[in-house]
Short mmCIF file of all heavy atoms in Angstrom, two decimals:
data_model
loop_
_atom_site.label_atom_id
_atom_site.label_comp_id
_atom_site.label_asym_id
_atom_site.label_seq_id
_atom_site.Cartn_x
_atom_site.Cartn_y
_atom_site.Cartn_z
N ARG A 19 84.62 112.60 80.91
CA ARG A 19 85.00 111.20 80.64
C ARG A 19 83.79 110.34 80.41
O ARG A 19 82.78 110.51 81.10
CB ARG A 19 85.84 110.58 81.77
CG ARG A 19 87.20 111.11 81.82
CD ARG A 19 88.03 110.59 83.00
NE ARG A 19 87.50 111.04 84.32
CZ ARG A 19 87.92 110.57 85.49
NH1 ARG A 19 88.85 109.65 85.54
NH2 ARG A 19 87.43 111.05 86.66
N GLU A 45 80.41 104.30 93.46
CA GLU A 45 81.05 105.06 94.39
C GLU A 45 81.86 104.26 95.47
O GLU A 45 82.89 104.57 95.89
CB GLU A 45 80.16 106.07 95.08
CG GLU A 45 79.64 107.23 94.16
CD GLU A 45 80.81 108.08 93.63
OE1 GLU A 45 81.85 108.04 94.22
OE2 GLU A 45 80.60 108.81 92.63
N LEU A 48 84.83 102.84 93.85
CA LEU A 48 85.86 103.80 93.50
C LEU A 48 86.63 104.34 94.68
O LEU A 48 87.63 105.08 94.57
CB LEU A 48 85.21 104.96 92.74
CG LEU A 48 84.77 104.66 91.31
CD1 LEU A 48 83.83 105.61 90.79
CD2 LEU A 48 86.01 104.64 90.37
N GLN A 50 89.27 104.90 96.95
CA GLN A 50 90.73 104.58 96.97
C GLN A 50 91.11 103.60 95.89
O GLN A 50 92.00 102.79 96.02
CB GLN A 50 91.14 104.03 98.42
CG GLN A 50 90.95 105.05 99.47
CD GLN A 50 92.06 106.15 99.34
OE1 GLN A 50 93.23 105.91 99.65
NE2 GLN A 50 91.59 107.30 98.93
N GLY A 124 79.27 101.69 105.15
CA GLY A 124 80.19 101.86 104.05
C GLY A 124 80.06 103.16 103.38
O GLY A 124 80.79 103.48 102.42
N GLY A 126 80.47 107.11 103.93
CA GLY A 126 80.97 108.14 104.82
C GLY A 126 80.69 109.56 104.28
O GLY A 126 79.85 109.62 103.34
N TYR A 128 82.26 111.57 102.12
CA TYR A 128 82.41 111.75 100.67
C TYR A 128 81.27 111.05 99.90
O TYR A 128 80.61 111.65 99.02
CB TYR A 128 83.76 111.15 100.12
CG TYR A 128 83.73 110.89 98.66
CD1 TYR A 128 83.76 111.98 97.80
CD2 TYR A 128 83.46 109.68 98.17
CE1 TYR A 128 83.57 111.77 96.46
CE2 TYR A 128 83.25 109.42 96.82
CZ TYR A 128 83.32 110.51 95.95
OH TYR A 128 83.16 110.31 94.63
N THR A 129 81.11 109.77 100.14
CA THR A 129 80.16 108.96 99.39
C THR A 129 78.74 109.49 99.59
O THR A 129 77.90 109.50 98.59
CB THR A 129 80.23 107.45 99.76
OG1 THR A 129 81.67 107.06 99.61
CG2 THR A 129 79.40 106.59 98.85
N ASP A 146 86.68 114.68 97.62
CA ASP A 146 87.58 113.53 97.57
C ASP A 146 88.99 114.01 97.34
O ASP A 146 89.28 115.19 97.41
CB ASP A 146 87.16 112.57 96.41
CG ASP A 146 87.50 113.14 95.07
OD1 ASP A 146 87.51 114.35 94.96
OD2 ASP A 146 87.77 112.33 94.14
N ASN A 148 90.71 114.24 94.66
CA ASN A 148 90.74 115.16 93.51
C ASN A 148 90.38 116.53 93.90
O ASN A 148 91.05 117.56 93.61
CB ASN A 148 89.88 114.66 92.34
CG ASN A 148 90.40 113.44 91.68
OD1 ASN A 148 91.53 113.39 91.17
ND2 ASN A 148 89.60 112.41 91.68
N ARG A 151 92.91 118.29 96.00
CA ARG A 151 94.01 118.90 95.14
C ARG A 151 93.63 120.12 94.44
O ARG A 151 94.39 121.13 94.36
CB ARG A 151 94.55 117.75 94.20
CG ARG A 151 95.84 118.11 93.50
CD ARG A 151 96.46 116.91 92.80
NE ARG A 151 95.55 116.27 91.92
CZ ARG A 151 94.90 115.08 92.12
NH1 ARG A 151 95.17 114.49 93.28
NH2 ARG A 151 94.14 114.60 91.30
P DT C 1 112.82 94.52 92.58
OP1 DT C 1 112.29 93.53 93.40
OP2 DT C 1 111.97 94.99 91.47
"O5'" DT C 1 113.14 95.85 93.51
"C5'" DT C 1 114.50 96.07 93.81
"C4'" DT C 1 114.49 97.36 94.59
"O4'" DT C 1 114.35 98.48 93.69
"C3'" DT C 1 113.29 97.45 95.54
"O3'" DT C 1 113.76 98.04 96.74
"C2'" DT C 1 112.30 98.36 94.81
"C1'" DT C 1 113.18 99.22 94.03
N1 DT C 1 112.58 99.76 92.72
C2 DT C 1 112.63 101.12 92.54
O2 DT C 1 113.11 101.90 93.29
N3 DT C 1 112.06 101.47 91.29
C4 DT C 1 111.48 100.62 90.36
O4 DT C 1 111.00 101.07 89.31
C5 DT C 1 111.54 99.25 90.72
C7 DT C 1 110.91 98.22 89.72
C6 DT C 1 112.00 98.84 91.88
P DG C 2 112.82 97.95 98.09
OP1 DG C 2 113.69 97.70 99.23
OP2 DG C 2 111.69 97.04 97.84
"O5'" DG C 2 112.28 99.40 98.21
"C5'" DG C 2 113.10 100.49 98.16
"C4'" DG C 2 112.37 101.74 97.96
"O4'" DG C 2 111.90 101.87 96.62
"C3'" DG C 2 111.09 101.84 98.88
"O3'" DG C 2 110.96 103.15 99.37
"C2'" DG C 2 109.99 101.50 97.86
"C1'" DG C 2 110.51 102.10 96.62
N9 DG C 2 109.94 101.53 95.35
C8 DG C 2 109.64 100.26 95.14
N7 DG C 2 109.18 100.08 93.99
C5 DG C 2 109.14 101.35 93.35
C6 DG C 2 108.76 101.79 92.11
O6 DG C 2 108.31 101.09 91.18
N1 DG C 2 108.90 103.17 91.99
C2 DG C 2 109.38 104.01 92.91
N2 DG C 2 109.47 105.24 92.60
N3 DG C 2 109.77 103.63 94.08
C4 DG C 2 109.63 102.29 94.30
P DA C 3 110.20 103.42 100.70
OP1 DA C 3 111.18 103.65 101.75
OP2 DA C 3 109.16 102.37 100.89
"O5'" DA C 3 109.48 104.80 100.43
"C5'" DA C 3 110.17 105.76 99.65
"C4'" DA C 3 109.18 106.55 98.89
"O4'" DA C 3 108.84 105.84 97.66
"C3'" DA C 3 107.88 106.83 99.56
"O3'" DA C 3 107.56 108.17 99.58
"C2'" DA C 3 106.81 105.94 98.86
"C1'" DA C 3 107.46 105.85 97.43
N9 DA C 3 107.05 104.64 96.76
C8 DA C 3 107.05 103.34 97.28
N7 DA C 3 106.69 102.41 96.41
C5 DA C 3 106.40 103.16 95.23
C6 DA C 3 105.97 102.78 94.03
N6 DA C 3 105.68 101.50 93.66
N1 DA C 3 105.78 103.70 93.09
C2 DA C 3 106.02 104.95 93.37
N3 DA C 3 106.48 105.49 94.54
C4 DA C 3 106.62 104.47 95.43
P DC C 4 106.16 108.72 100.26
OP1 DC C 4 106.48 109.95 100.93
OP2 DC C 4 105.63 107.55 101.08
"O5'" DC C 4 105.32 108.97 98.97
"C5'" DC C 4 105.83 109.53 97.81
"C4'" DC C 4 104.80 109.57 96.74
"O4'" DC C 4 104.70 108.29 96.06
"C3'" DC C 4 103.40 109.91 97.30
"O3'" DC C 4 102.80 110.95 96.50
"C2'" DC C 4 102.63 108.57 97.05
"C1'" DC C 4 103.42 107.88 96.00
N1 DC C 4 103.36 106.40 95.96
C2 DC C 4 103.02 105.75 94.79
O2 DC C 4 102.74 106.38 93.80
N3 DC C 4 102.99 104.37 94.82
C4 DC C 4 103.27 103.72 95.94
N4 DC C 4 103.20 102.39 95.89
C5 DC C 4 103.57 104.41 97.11
C6 DC C 4 103.59 105.77 97.08
P DC C 5 101.48 111.65 97.07
OP1 DC C 5 101.64 113.08 96.75
OP2 DC C 5 101.25 111.24 98.44
"O5'" DC C 5 100.38 110.99 96.18
"C5'" DC C 5 100.58 110.90 94.75
"C4'" DC C 5 99.61 109.96 94.10
"O4'" DC C 5 100.06 108.63 94.32
"C3'" DC C 5 98.21 110.06 94.78
"O3'" DC C 5 97.36 110.71 93.85
"C2'" DC C 5 97.78 108.65 95.06
"C1'" DC C 5 98.85 107.81 94.36
N1 DC C 5 99.22 106.60 95.10
C2 DC C 5 99.02 105.33 94.48
O2 DC C 5 98.61 105.27 93.35
N3 DC C 5 99.37 104.22 95.23
C4 DC C 5 99.79 104.34 96.48
N4 DC C 5 100.12 103.19 97.05
C5 DC C 5 100.03 105.60 97.11
C6 DC C 5 99.66 106.64 96.40
P DA C 6 95.81 111.06 94.36
OP1 DA C 6 95.41 112.30 93.60
OP2 DA C 6 95.69 111.05 95.77
"O5'" DA C 6 94.94 109.90 93.77
"C5'" DA C 6 95.25 109.43 92.48
"C4'" DA C 6 94.17 108.40 92.17
"O4'" DA C 6 94.67 107.10 92.60
"C3'" DA C 6 92.82 108.64 92.75
"O3'" DA C 6 91.87 108.77 91.78
"C2'" DA C 6 92.56 107.54 93.74
"C1'" DA C 6 93.67 106.41 93.39
N9 DA C 6 94.42 105.99 94.60
C8 DA C 6 94.76 106.72 95.70
N7 DA C 6 95.45 106.03 96.57
C5 DA C 6 95.50 104.76 95.98
C6 DA C 6 96.18 103.62 96.40
N6 DA C 6 96.86 103.50 97.54
N1 DA C 6 96.15 102.52 95.60
C2 DA C 6 95.48 102.61 94.40
N3 DA C 6 94.85 103.67 93.90
C4 DA C 6 94.95 104.74 94.77
P DA C 7 91.29 110.27 91.87
OP1 DA C 7 90.67 110.52 90.58
OP2 DA C 7 92.30 111.26 92.38
"O5'" DA C 7 90.17 110.20 92.99
"C5'" DA C 7 88.79 110.17 92.55
"C4'" DA C 7 87.92 109.92 93.73
"O4'" DA C 7 86.62 110.17 93.40
"C3'" DA C 7 88.06 108.54 94.32
"O3'" DA C 7 87.70 108.63 95.73
"C2'" DA C 7 86.96 107.88 93.61
"C1'" DA C 7 85.91 108.99 93.49
N9 DA C 7 85.01 108.87 92.36
C8 DA C 7 83.72 108.68 92.36
N7 DA C 7 83.16 108.69 91.13
C5 DA C 7 84.26 108.93 90.38
C6 DA C 7 84.33 109.16 88.99
N6 DA C 7 83.38 109.04 88.09
N1 DA C 7 85.53 109.39 88.37
C2 DA C 7 86.60 109.52 89.31
N3 DA C 7 86.63 109.43 90.63
C4 DA C 7 85.37 109.11 91.03
P DG C 8 88.91 108.56 96.82
OP1 DG C 8 89.33 109.93 97.20
OP2 DG C 8 89.85 107.61 96.21
"O5'" DG C 8 88.28 107.86 98.07
"C5'" DG C 8 87.45 108.68 99.05
"C4'" DG C 8 86.72 107.68 99.83
"O4'" DG C 8 87.65 106.74 100.40
"C3'" DG C 8 86.01 108.31 101.04
"O3'" DG C 8 84.75 107.64 101.12
"C2'" DG C 8 86.89 108.07 102.21
"C1'" DG C 8 87.64 106.79 101.83
N9 DG C 8 89.05 106.71 102.26
C8 DG C 8 89.89 107.68 102.31
N7 DG C 8 91.04 107.30 102.70
C5 DG C 8 90.87 106.01 103.11
C6 DG C 8 91.78 105.11 103.66
O6 DG C 8 92.94 105.28 104.05
N1 DG C 8 91.14 103.82 103.84
C2 DG C 8 89.88 103.51 103.50
N2 DG C 8 89.49 102.26 103.71
N3 DG C 8 89.09 104.38 102.98
C4 DG C 8 89.59 105.65 102.81
P DG C 9 83.81 108.01 102.41
OP1 DG C 9 82.41 107.83 101.85
OP2 DG C 9 84.20 109.18 103.09
"O5'" DG C 9 84.07 106.76 103.41
"C5'" DG C 9 83.84 105.40 102.92
"C4'" DG C 9 83.85 104.40 103.99
"O4'" DG C 9 85.21 104.14 104.42
"C3'" DG C 9 83.11 104.86 105.26
"O3'" DG C 9 82.41 103.72 105.78
"C2'" DG C 9 84.21 105.35 106.22
"C1'" DG C 9 85.33 104.48 105.79
N9 DG C 9 86.78 105.09 105.95
C8 DG C 9 87.07 106.32 105.62
N7 DG C 9 88.36 106.57 105.86
C5 DG C 9 88.85 105.37 106.39
C6 DG C 9 90.07 105.05 106.85
O6 DG C 9 91.14 105.71 106.89
N1 DG C 9 90.13 103.80 107.35
C2 DG C 9 89.11 102.86 107.35
N2 DG C 9 89.31 101.71 107.91
N3 DG C 9 87.93 103.20 106.97
C4 DG C 9 87.81 104.42 106.47
P DG C 10 81.72 103.81 107.23
OP1 DG C 10 80.54 103.01 107.09
OP2 DG C 10 81.67 105.20 107.65
"O5'" DG C 10 82.77 103.01 108.16
"C5'" DG C 10 83.15 101.71 107.78
"C4'" DG C 10 83.91 101.09 108.94
"O4'" DG C 10 85.29 101.62 109.04
"C3'" DG C 10 83.31 101.28 110.33
"O3'" DG C 10 83.56 100.09 111.07
"C2'" DG C 10 84.11 102.46 110.90
"C1'" DG C 10 85.53 102.24 110.36
N9 DG C 10 86.28 103.40 110.09
C8 DG C 10 85.92 104.61 109.52
N7 DG C 10 86.83 105.49 109.42
C5 DG C 10 87.91 104.84 109.98
C6 DG C 10 89.26 105.31 110.20
O6 DG C 10 89.72 106.41 109.90
N1 DG C 10 90.07 104.37 110.80
C2 DG C 10 89.61 103.12 111.12
N2 DG C 10 90.55 102.34 111.74
N3 DG C 10 88.40 102.67 110.95
C4 DG C 10 87.61 103.56 110.41
P DT C 11 82.85 99.87 112.49
OP1 DT C 11 82.55 98.45 112.62
OP2 DT C 11 81.82 100.93 112.68
"O5'" DT C 11 84.05 100.24 113.53
"C5'" DT C 11 85.24 99.50 113.38
"C4'" DT C 11 86.26 100.07 114.38
"O4'" DT C 11 86.94 101.26 113.81
"C3'" DT C 11 85.68 100.43 115.74
"O3'" DT C 11 86.48 99.86 116.73
"C2'" DT C 11 85.90 101.97 115.76
"C1'" DT C 11 87.06 102.14 114.84
N1 DT C 11 87.22 103.52 114.25
C2 DT C 11 88.43 104.11 114.23
O2 DT C 11 89.48 103.61 114.69
N3 DT C 11 88.44 105.35 113.62
C4 DT C 11 87.40 106.03 113.10
O4 DT C 11 87.56 107.17 112.59
C5 DT C 11 86.14 105.35 113.17
C7 DT C 11 84.86 105.99 112.60
C6 DT C 11 86.13 104.15 113.73
#
Side-chain angles (χ1 to χ4, degrees):
Chain A
R19 287 178 290 174
E45 291 299 341
L48 286 162
Q50 294 288 286
Y128 160 75
T129 306
D146 74 329
N148 288 304
R151 189 168 54 255

